[in-house]
């Protein structure tokens, strides 16, 4: 499996802070956030939250501006084009006929069975669908999406409709590999999370790395399709 | 139910834990009639296996009666008498289809931990740390068996528990170790370690056509068993120089196949075991590969070194130069249980081998903690311990 979670510091926005200051800012903020989170108390969370703008400054070189922090309402092309937004790429192989894997994925209602951040996907017809995602702290994100590219047994591409509160796009390509006996899926997910890339980077610091999440999601898909069930050693907590 | 649980290094306790339940459609629940302590359980006991947690149920060699089956399991029914393989496999992934069952892609819920350590994850295992899935083990009254429509082997009533129990791990493990040597008529095979896996490797080497088997250990009762039941020539490494003796016994050529049935906690009489012991005690090394070093050094040119013994981490002073210079082949890994169980059951049914000959101790669950101590110290001639969860006290010793 190959993964690329692209996150680089944009030199164009790094002008108003020196490197030393940025390192100090990131380190201090990371320590405060780690300490705050580890306290598992309201005070601790407040401390972690208070340190977040400092971390942002350390990473981006500027204090956060409101337009970076608020959800972007833009078109997916402007929000996700080039190196903007979070890009996650992962691939996985399955010992299943390609057509079966394609059919499973094309039935978008199936996606929450292995994409853990999703609560539900409802097919609205005409290539449109309604997505509900689980956000942090029980918050839900909802958006409508449309399929923008579909070649049967080859590729499915989708994006959120303009004006959505979550700006996201994704594609999955299907290919026959290993002497055409196996099926390989290559998934590319993009999103502009609320708070921009800095928030995603902080999530990474705290151990929720997007590519790891997607890797586990694709593993779950493989288990569901190949083994017919997701292995577990313990009862699911009620 | 009662179960033997891990509580830390050298700390095993028999506790009341919740009864296992069906969690997935292909599951079954087995009421355990016989279980065993494996030499590899001692690696856990000695604190060498990472990601063990307090309260984990130990044990991966067990058999019993099916008492419940999941909705998707159409192979087993309540009342079936089965031996359970210690490796858990889905049967449908690339590796299962290649008969590489212990490398199953889909049976380890914690594959990501193993991936961080090893690059990719092997199959889930019963009672062998969270890195291997965190599945509760079989030193207990009941166990949940995942993918039970493909793993457990039904055994005929004509054979006793003790005759078939070791199909759960050590007989197939010894057999695969011998098969990995690609034995040809006339071959000489040397086996380091005369514990249960070593004993079965010796017998299997003969079953597969070896002309001579040379067994190496330091415990007289284990060497005696290897000679009496295994028909092996024996070398006591505390009395003889093993490499010189092997050279001598093979006309200066070396054994064609060398089996390391010792693993990561090897003892020895040369300097390197003490060096390993010092380094591991300071956490500067993870394994003590003395037996493996010797096997590589003793093996003939172009020979095969087969490793059923367990290794966990990064080896120090590993003689890859010798392996390269002599063009050796190294074969290793957990046993592909599902491949070997049916054919070895047939060998038992045909009377070619009765694996119960290695048993020295029979106990109830309550005596498990004491028996870990006895087994580790190899006190009381202890070679193989069988646990009968249904009995309250020791049956015989």
């Amino acid at each position: 499996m190959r993964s690329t979670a692209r996150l680089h510091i944009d030199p164009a926005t790094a002008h108003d802070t020196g490197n030393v200051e940025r390192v100090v800012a990131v380190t201090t903020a990371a320590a405060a956030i780690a300490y705050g989170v580890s306290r598992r108390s309201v005070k601790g969370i407040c401390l972690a939250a208070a340190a977040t703008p400092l971390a942002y400054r350390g990473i981006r070189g500027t204090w956060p501006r409101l337009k970076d922090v608020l959800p972007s309402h833009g078109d997916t092309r402007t929000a996700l084009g080039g190196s903007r937004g979070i890009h996650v790429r992962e691939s996985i192989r399955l010992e299943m006929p390609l057509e079966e894997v394609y059919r499973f994925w094309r039935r978008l209602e199936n996606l929450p069975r292995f994409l853990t951040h999703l609560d539900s996907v409802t097919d609205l017809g005409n290539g449109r669908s309604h997505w509900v995602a689980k956000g942090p702290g029980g918050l839900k994100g909802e958006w409508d999406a449309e399929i923008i590219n579909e070649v049967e047994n080859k590729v499915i591409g989708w994006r959120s409709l303009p004006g959505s509160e979550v700006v996201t796009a994704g594609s999955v390509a299907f290919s026959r590999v290993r002497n055409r006996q196996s099926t390989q899926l290559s998934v590319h997910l993009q999103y502009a999370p609320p708070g921009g890339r800095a928030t995603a980077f902080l999530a990474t610091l705290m151990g929720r790395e997007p590519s790891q999440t997607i890797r586990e999601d694709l593993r779950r898909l493989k288990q569901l399709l190949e083994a017919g069930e997701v292995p577990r050693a313990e009862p699911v907590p009620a | 139910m009662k179960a033997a649980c891990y509580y830390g290094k050298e700390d095993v306790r028999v506790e009341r834990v919740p009864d296992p339940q069906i969690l997935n459609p292909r599951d079954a629940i087995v009421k355990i009639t016989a279980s065993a302590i494996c030499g590899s359980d001692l690696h856990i006991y000695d604190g060498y296996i990472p990601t063990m947690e307090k309260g984990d149920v130990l044990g991966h060699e067990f058999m019993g009666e099916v008492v419940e089956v999941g909705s998707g399991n159409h192979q087993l029914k309540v009342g079936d008498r089965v031996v359970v393989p210690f490796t858990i496999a889905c049967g449908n992934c690339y590796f299962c289809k290649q008969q590489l069952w212990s490398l199953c892609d889909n049976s380890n819920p914690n594959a990501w931990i193993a991936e961080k350590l090893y690059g990719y994850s092997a199959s889930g295992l019963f009672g062998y740390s969270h890195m291997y899935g965190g599945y509760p083990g079989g030193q207990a009254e009941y166990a949940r068996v995942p993918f039970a429509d493909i793993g457990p082997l039904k055994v005929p009533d004509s054979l006793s528990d003790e005759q078939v129990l070791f199909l759960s791990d050590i007989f197939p493990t010894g057999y695969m170790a011998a098969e990995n040597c690609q034995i040809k008529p006339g071959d000489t095979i040397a086996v380091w370690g005369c514990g249960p896996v070593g004993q079965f490797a010796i017998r299997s080497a003969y079953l597969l056509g070896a002309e001579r088997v040379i067994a190496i250990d330091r415990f007289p009762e284990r060497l005696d068993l290897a000679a009496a039941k295994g028909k092996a020539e024996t070398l006591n490494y505390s009395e003889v120089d093993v490499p010189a003796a092997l050279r001598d016994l093979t006309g200066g050529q070396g054994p064609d196949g060398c089996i390391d049935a010792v693993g990561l906690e090897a003892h020895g009489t040369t300097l390197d075991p003490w060096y390993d012991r010092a380094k591991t005690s300071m956490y500067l090394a993870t394994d003590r590969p003395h037996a493996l070093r010797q096997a590589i050094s003793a093996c003939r040119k172009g020979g095969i070194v087969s490793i059923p013994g367990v290794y966990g981490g990064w080896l120090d002073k590993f003689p890859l130069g010798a392996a390269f210079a002599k063009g050796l082949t190294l074969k290793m890994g957990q046993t592909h249980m599902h491949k070997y169980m049916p054919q070895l059951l047939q060998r038992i049914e045909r009377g070619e081998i009765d694996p119960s000959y290695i048993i020295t101790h029979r106990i109830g669950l309550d005596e498990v903690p004491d028996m870990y101590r006895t087994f580790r110290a190899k006190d009381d001639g202890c070679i193989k311990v069988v646990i009968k969860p249904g009995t309250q006290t020791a049956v015989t010793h």
Side-chain angles (χ1 to χ4, degrees):
Chain A
M1 285 185 280
R2 191 175 69 93
S3 89
T4 354
R6 279 197 269 154
L7 272 173
H8 34 240
I9 292 160
D10 185 355
T13 56
H15 50 83
D16 64 343
T17 345
N19 270 336
V20 175
E21 191 199 326
R22 290 177 61 177
V23 169
V24 169
V26 170
T27 315
T28 312
I33 290 166
Y35 174 76
V37 169
S38 73
R39 290 293 296 261
R40 296 177 190 284
S41 64
V42 176
K43 268 190 202 165
I45 298 301
C46 290
L47 174 66
T52 309
L54 183 62
Y56 186 96
R57 182 173 170 80
I59 294 157
R60 296 297 295 263
T62 62
W63 291 106
R65 279 159 299 196
L66 209 54
K67 75 174 179 63
D68 291 331
V69 178
L70 290 176
S72 43
H73 285 264
D75 180 80
T76 48
R77 268 168 305 191
T78 40
L80 301 170
S83 65
R84 287 187 291 275
I86 307 285
H87 293 244
V88 188
R89 290 185 172 86
E90 281 290 334
S91 68
I92 199 157
R93 279 185 182 183
L94 300 97
E95 297 303 293
M96 295 284 291
L98 183 143
E99 295 76 12
E100 232 172 285
V101 183
Y102 179 87
R103 267 200 306 276
F104 187 84
W105 194 295
R106 181 59 186 82
R107 221 181 125 72
L108 299 175
E109 285 94 337
N110 281 329
L111 299 184
R113 292 176 67 185
F114 61 95
L115 295 175
T116 41
H117 68 285
L118 290 179
D119 217 40
S120 68
V121 179
T122 315
D123 197 331
L124 303 174
N126 295 325
R128 299 218 163 174
S129 46
H130 182 70
W131 301 50
V132 181
K134 299 170 212 166
L139 293 171
K140 283 188 177 177
E142 299 194 28
W143 67 96
D144 285 341
E146 60 180 347
I147 288 183
I148 49 171
N149 184 17
E150 182 177 6
V151 182
E152 195 177 355
N153 296 332
K154 287 218 161 26
V155 68
I156 306 169
W158 64 92
R159 67 168 183 192
S160 52
L161 291 179
S164 300
E165 68 175 275
V166 175
V167 179
T168 178
S171 68
V172 52
F174 303 78
S175 51
R176 295 180 213 275
V177 292
R178 207 192 287 288
N179 206 19
R180 303 176 67 81
Q181 298 296 302
S182 312
T183 300
Q184 184 160 321
L185 292 189
S186 303
V187 177
H188 181 188
L189 293 181
Q190 310 165 64
Y191 57 97
R197 280 193 285 167
T199 319
F201 183 66
L202 289 175
T204 307
L205 273 183
M206 291 182 226
R208 287 186 290 123
E209 205 233 337
S211 66
Q212 179 71 34
T213 306
I214 300 303
R215 190 177 311 152
E216 291 304 319
D217 286 349
L218 290 185
R219 195 200 308 280
R220 204 167 298 111
L221 168 71
K222 177 180 162 73
Q223 289 162 343
L224 265 176
L225 290 180
E226 277 185 354
E229 58 189 43
V230 175
R232 62 184 92 251
E234 289 157 5
V236 188
Chain B
M1 66 166 183
K2 272 201 301 194
C5 303
Y6 171 90
Y7 272 86
K9 190 180 170 187
E10 295 168 9
D11 188 357
V12 172
R13 303 175 199 170
V14 175
E15 303 261 290
R16 290 249 161 230
V17 301
D19 284 351
Q21 34 173 304
I22 299 277
L23 301 179
N24 271 335
R26 296 173 64 186
D27 287 358
I29 306 289
V30 169
K31 180 178 197 284
I32 296 168
T33 54
S35 183
I37 306 179
C38 181
S40 65
D41 290 330
L42 295 179
H43 300 321
I44 295 178
Y45 190 67
D46 289 339
Y48 277 92
I49 306 297
T51 71
M52 287 296 297
E53 290 174 15
K54 282 193 166 88
D56 285 350
V57 179
L58 293 163
H60 56 266
E61 300 178 359
F62 60 97
M63 62 175 295
E65 185 191 325
V66 175
V67 292
E68 198 181 346
V69 290
S71 59
N73 186 331
H74 308 297
Q75 298 300 314
L76 291 182
K77 56 183 191 305
V78 171
D80 282 344
R81 183 164 167 256
V82 293
V83 179
V84 179
F86 78 103
T87 57
I88 301 168
C90 79
N92 300 331
C93 69
Y94 174 76
F95 299 94
C96 288
K97 285 183 172 176
Q98 302 290 314
Q99 297 267 357
L100 301 170
W101 300 83
S102 73
L103 304 176
C104 173
D105 252 348
N106 291 326
S107 59
N108 183 357
N110 298 328
W112 64 276
I113 306 178
E115 283 176 357
K116 290 223 185 308
L117 198 55
Y118 298 143
Y120 299 95
S121 173
S123 77
L125 304 175
F126 288 102
Y128 217 76
S129 86
H130 288 260
M131 187 170 86
Y132 285 107
Y135 289 104
Q139 288 163 14
E141 290 178 305
Y142 295 88
R144 166 189 168 244
V145 181
F147 302 124
D149 53 347
I150 196 127
L153 178 72
K154 288 183 217 174
V155 287
D157 289 337
S158 56
L159 297 170
S160 70
D161 279 9
E162 292 188 355
Q163 286 176 298
V164 293
L165 172 62
F166 303 138
L167 287 170
S168 60
D169 175 356
I170 52 177
F171 182 23
T173 296
Y175 188 87
M176 185 172 104
E179 197 186 73
N180 274 344
C181 290
Q182 296 171 7
I183 297 169
K184 293 182 291 297
D187 276 1
T188 298
I189 305 297
V191 179
W192 275 256
C194 295
V197 169
Q199 299 288 346
F200 288 130
I202 293 165
R203 289 292 297 267
S204 302
Y206 281 124
L207 287 173
L208 291 165
E211 186 171 282
R212 292 168 75 188
V213 180
I214 302 164
I216 301 146
D217 206 299
R218 70 181 157 135
F219 292 94
E221 67 274 15
R222 294 184 174 212
L223 290 167
D224 290 347
L225 188 66
K229 296 283 189 173
K231 305 280 184 282
E233 297 164 60
T234 58
L235 296 176
N236 185 328
Y237 69 77
S238 62
E239 292 167 1
V240 300
D241 177 352
V242 170
L246 287 173
R247 207 176 302 127
D248 201 36
L249 285 166
T250 55
Q253 201 167 44
D256 304 286
C258 291
I259 297 175
D260 169 9
V262 177
L264 63 84
E265 290 185 73
H267 300 83
T269 52
T270 50
L271 208 56
D272 62 309
W274 292 102
Y275 171 82
D276 292 334
R277 195 172 265 280
K279 283 200 81 166
T280 51
S281 69
M282 291 185 290
Y283 298 98
L284 293 172
T286 51
D287 305 62
R288 309 200 310 251
H290 170 69
L292 183 55
R293 288 189 194 115
Q294 201 169 65
I296 287 172
S297 157
C299 194
R300 78 149 161 84
K301 292 182 285 182
I304 295 175
V305 175
S306 162
I307 313 171
V310 173
Y311 289 89
W314 292 262
L315 266 58
D316 196 10
K317 303 288 179 289
F318 182 72
L320 196 64
F324 180 87
K326 295 193 290 177
L328 299 185
T329 301
L330 271 62
K331 304 206 76 168
M332 64 196 88
Q334 297 286 13
T335 311
H336 304 305
M337 294 297 297
H338 302 55
K339 172 181 172 185
Y340 293 101
M341 290 170 81
Q343 68 188 68
L344 294 183
L345 174 63
Q346 284 176 14
R347 286 191 188 266
I348 297 171
E349 285 186 286
R350 289 199 298 261
E352 291 174 29
I353 184 171
D354 177 355
S356 64
Y357 74 92
I358 62 164
I359 301 171
T360 53
H361 291 65
R362 296 168 176 87
I363 59 169
L365 262 180
D366 292 330
E367 293 145 288
V368 168
D370 285 340
M371 199 49 77
Y372 265 87
R373 272 187 289 280
T374 305
F375 184 36
R376 205 240 330 236
K378 301 178 179 69
D379 282 345
D380 195 25
C382 188
I383 294 174
K384 190 66 185 178
V385 181
V386 169
I387 304 160
K388 306 205 167 174
T391 57
Q392 292 305 308
T393 51
V395 185
T396 51
H397 274 215

